[in-house]
């Protein structure tokens, strides 16, 4: 006889704390999805699903729906992200050997619009109570923590500086003895791959190609994943900081966010390193508008990405709108051309599609693969000489109602062992792309992870 999946969600005191959700990032094994001090963190694991291959999203969706179908759910908060929740990370490629996964935690802390809640999840038969849930949270926070425990409501959130109101972010001490190594391709070989990609584009075989590369960072003192996540959450507040089973990062790109019948996405394509503005006349944003928004190449790359997303989302939508003109997203390391897309979902085969059903249809977009998809995917495998694993794949969470937030796993790394991380960065290649400029762009995109590790570049 199998046990029933049961969850209890209760309000959690803490809305007076200045630290928000990042104050709970105290364990290296924490599951994390946070932006602007809100989101979800998970502790422990009661079950997981893994899959590989082209049906990985649909198989995960079926597994999750079966798990929650007869779940015993007690929820006094009733918001997206309350009740049963799973965190997920999916391989970029259907041909990848990397296992995609959904992980159901034991405890989830959520923050939304200043409201905090706590969910306990179990497959055991014991009674779930508010007191028991609080005790379980306390055990996770106090056992094996790598940072000061969260403060009580109204207190100081450990060593994490309050991020609101433009607070000064302290510099990260340089990691003693940390080194970087070439990944699958040397810089010269990767630039040769860019040249080959541009040549293929000029034949008319494809319009855009996204090429990624990897580097390996070694930290003799050890990789402190919780510290990395806290640094990213504080420094990159406009991004979604994620941590799932050794995959960590802060992505600026939302593949799909689903709340009821409303779906939203943030599409990025077109990048400018903020260091390029040093010594330029005028204000930095004026420079970005002139160089980035005024670039025919960058705008062309962005338009391809928008068309990719909207055409794939259209069959699931009864109404959709997107920005007529991209806006400039300002991040600490780069500027991006960005567009937000919003759609009202329609019923497909009698029900509104879940977030996993949508990412099955949307991934991979032109923003991380290219167009046409099949041609670009084949060329990626030929030129990159690496298995991207979860890099540029969907990462995020979903609940029992099918709501969820799935970013694209960018600006991140995979922790391969206690002292080693593999970092990934990629660039959109179109006709007119220059190998040296694309290489420099990858270094700008590596910067968030390198800074969070205390590695200068």
């Amino acid at each position: 006889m199998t046990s029933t999946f049961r969850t209890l969600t209760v309000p959690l005191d803490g809305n007076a704390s200045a630290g928000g959700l990042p104050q709970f990032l105290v364990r290296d094994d924490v599951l994390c999805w946070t932006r602007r001090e809100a989101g979800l963190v998970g502790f422990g694991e009661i079950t997981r699903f893994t899959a590989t291959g082209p049906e990985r999203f649909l198989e995960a969706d079926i597994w999750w729906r079966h798990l929650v179908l007869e779940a015993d759910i007690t929820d006094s908060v009733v918001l997206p992200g309350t009740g049963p929740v799973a965190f997920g990370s999916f391989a970029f490629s259907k041909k990848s050997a990397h296992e995609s996964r959904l992980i159901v935690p034991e405890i989830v802390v959520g923050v939304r619009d200043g409201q905090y809640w706590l969910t306990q999840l179990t497959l055991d038969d014991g009674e779930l109570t508010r007191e028991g849930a609080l005790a379980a949270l306390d055990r996770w926070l106090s056992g094996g923590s790598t940072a000061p425990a969260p403060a009580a409501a109204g207190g100081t959130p450990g060593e994490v500086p309050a991020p609101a109101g433009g607070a000064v972010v302290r510099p990260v001490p340089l990691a003693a003895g940390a080194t970087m190594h070439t990944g699958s391709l040397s810089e010269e070989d990767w630039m040769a791959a860019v040249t080959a990609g541009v040549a293929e584009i000029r034949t008319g075989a494809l319009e855009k190609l996204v090429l990624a590369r990897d580097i390996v960072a070694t930290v003799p003192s050890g990789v402190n994943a919780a510290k990395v996540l806290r640094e990213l959450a504080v420094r990159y507040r406009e991004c979604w900081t994620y941590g799932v089973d050794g995959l960590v990062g802060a992505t600026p790109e939302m593949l799909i966010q689903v709340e009821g019948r409303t779906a939203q996405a943030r599409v990025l394509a077109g990048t400018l390193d903020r260091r390029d503005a040093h010594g330029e006349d005028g204000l930095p944003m004026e420079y970005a508008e002139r160089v980035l928004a005024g670039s025919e190449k960058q705008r062309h790359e962005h338009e391809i990405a928008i068309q990719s997303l909207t055409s794939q989302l259209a069959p699931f939508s009864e109404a959709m709108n997107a920005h007529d003109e991209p806006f400039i997203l300002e991040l600490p390391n780069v500027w991006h051309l960005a567009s937000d897309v919003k759609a009202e979902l329609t019923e497909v085969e009698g029900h509104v599609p879940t977030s996993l059903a949508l990412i099955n249809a949307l991934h991979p977009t032109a923003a991380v693969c290219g167009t046409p998809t099949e041609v670009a995917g084949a060329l990626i495998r030929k030129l990159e000489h690496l298995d991207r694993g979860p890099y540029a794949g969907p990462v995020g969470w979903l609940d029992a109602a099918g709501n969820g937030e799935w970013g694209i796993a960018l600006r991140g790394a995979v922790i391969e062992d206690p002292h080693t991380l593999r970092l990934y960065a990629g660039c959109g290649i179109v006709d007119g792309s220059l190998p040296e400029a694309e290489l420099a762009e990858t270094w700008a995109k590596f910067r968030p992870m390198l800074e969070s590790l205390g590695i200068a570049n």
Side-chain angles (χ1 to χ4, degrees):
M1 177 181 296
T2 58
S3 298
T4 301
F5 181 35
R6 296 180 300 120
T7 69
L8 170 69
T9 301
V10 295
L12 182 68
D13 292 337
N15 58 336
S17 173
L21 201 62
Q23 67 181 306
F24 291 92
L25 301 177
V26 298
R27 295 181 58 94
D28 282 353
D29 56 356
V30 70
L31 297 160
C32 169
W33 179 266
T34 177
R35 179 176 185 251
R36 295 177 179 172
E37 296 80 61
L40 301 170
V41 296
F43 301 94
E45 178 181 331
I46 63 169
T47 188
R48 73 165 56 197
F49 171 83
T50 60
T52 58
E55 303 300 319
R56 60 200 184 282
F57 302 117
L58 294 180
E59 290 173 5
D61 195 25
I62 292 170
W63 178 82
W64 178 246
R65 283 190 283 171
H66 283 173
L67 185 66
V68 302
L69 182 62
E70 297 182 358
D72 181 356
I73 303 170
T74 302
D75 184 355
S76 61
V77 179
V78 192
L79 289 171
T82 63
V85 168
F87 291 79
S89 165
F90 289 84
F92 168 80
S93 173
K94 62 186 178 182
K95 297 182 180 295
S96 175
H98 177 81
E99 284 190 332
S100 299
R101 62 207 66 186
L102 287 180
I103 300 174
V104 182
E106 178 190 337
I107 289 289
V108 175
V109 176
V111 182
R112 182 185 178 95
D113 298 328
Q115 184 172 1
Y116 287 59
W117 67 87
L118 171 64
T119 299
Q120 185 172 18
L121 308 92
T122 184
L123 291 170
D124 297 331
D125 296 327
E127 182 183 7
L128 292 179
T129 65
R130 175 183 175 85
E131 292 72 22
L134 290 169
L137 175 61
D138 184 63
R139 286 195 302 272
W140 280 107
L141 293 178
S142 61
S145 65
T146 57
T156 301
E159 295 181 346
V160 181
V168 175
V169 178
R170 71 211 187 304
V172 181
L174 292 180
T179 57
M180 290 184 291
H181 312 274
T182 298
S184 300
L185 290 176
S186 68
E187 292 188 348
E188 292 75 16
D189 288 341
W190 190 81
M191 287 191 289
V194 172
T195 299
V198 172
E200 288 290 333
I201 291 169
R202 288 175 177 169
T203 69
L206 72 168
E207 193 172 6
K208 177 184 176 180
L209 173 68
V210 180
L211 287 178
R213 71 185 191 97
D214 60 336
I215 59 173
V216 178
T218 301
V219 184
S221 59
V223 178
N224 186 325
K227 180 172 181 287
V228 167
L229 291 171
R230 292 196 307 275
E231 293 291 345
L232 291 171
V234 170
R235 293 168 184 274
Y236 288 81
R237 295 184 66 245
E238 296 304 310
C239 296
W240 290 268
T241 297
Y242 57 87
V244 180
D245 223 18
L247 173 68
V248 295
T251 181
E253 188 152 4
M254 175 65 74
L255 176 61
I256 199 72
Q257 176 191 54
V258 177
E259 292 184 14
R261 300 184 74 106
T262 301
Q264 298 184 77
R266 171 162 288 182
V267 181
L268 307 181
T271 304
L272 180 62
D273 190 343
R274 292 191 61 171
R275 288 182 177 176
D276 292 346
H278 294 175
E280 295 288 336
D281 295 332
L283 298 174
M285 281 298 288
E286 293 176 348
Y287 173 78
E289 290 169 358
R290 182 174 73 252
V291 176
L292 189 57
S295 166
E296 183 178 346
K297 169 191 173 291
Q298 302 275 22
R299 292 179 70 92
H300 175 58
E301 181 185 342
H302 187 79
E303 186 172 335
I304 292 171
I306 283 290
Q307 290 176 347
S308 168
L309 185 282
T310 55
S311 64
Q312 290 167 300
L313 187 57
F316 303 92
S317 308
E318 57 187 34
M320 188 187 310
N321 63 68
H323 291 136
D324 293 332
E325 285 286 320
F327 64 92
I328 293 179
L329 177 64
E330 184 177 13
L331 300 176
N333 60 325
V334 296
W335 291 289
H336 287 296
L337 285 182
S339 292
D340 289 336
V341 177
K342 186 174 183 179
E344 292 302 312
L345 299 173
T346 188
E347 290 189 359
V348 178
E349 298 180 352
H351 61 84
V352 175
T354 65
S355 58
L356 281 177
L358 288 175
I359 65 173
N360 178 65
L362 297 175
H363 178 80
T365 67
V368 292
C369 179
T371 186
T373 303
E374 291 300 323
V375 177
L379 195 54
I380 284 171
R381 290 188 292 273
K382 176 182 176 182
L383 296 178
E384 282 187 352
H385 296 280
L386 63 84
D387 183 341
R388 291 186 178 184
Y391 167 73
V395 61
W397 63 270
L398 80 162
D399 66 16
N403 301 313
E405 293 181 287
W406 295 94
I408 299 175
L410 306 175
R411 313 295 191 272
V414 173
I415 301 173
E416 297 188 333
D417 64 47
H419 300 277
T420 308
L421 304 91
R422 188 173 300 271
L423 288 67
Y424 298 85
C427 299
I429 310 302
V430 295
D431 190 6
S433 292
L434 300 175
E436 294 81 3
E438 303 300 336
L439 179 68
E441 183 176 316
T442 65
W443 281 112
K445 291 175 176 178
F446 282 134
R447 200 175 301 143
M449 280 302 307
L450 292 174
E451 288 174 345
S452 71
L453 290 166
I455 300 175
N457 79 302

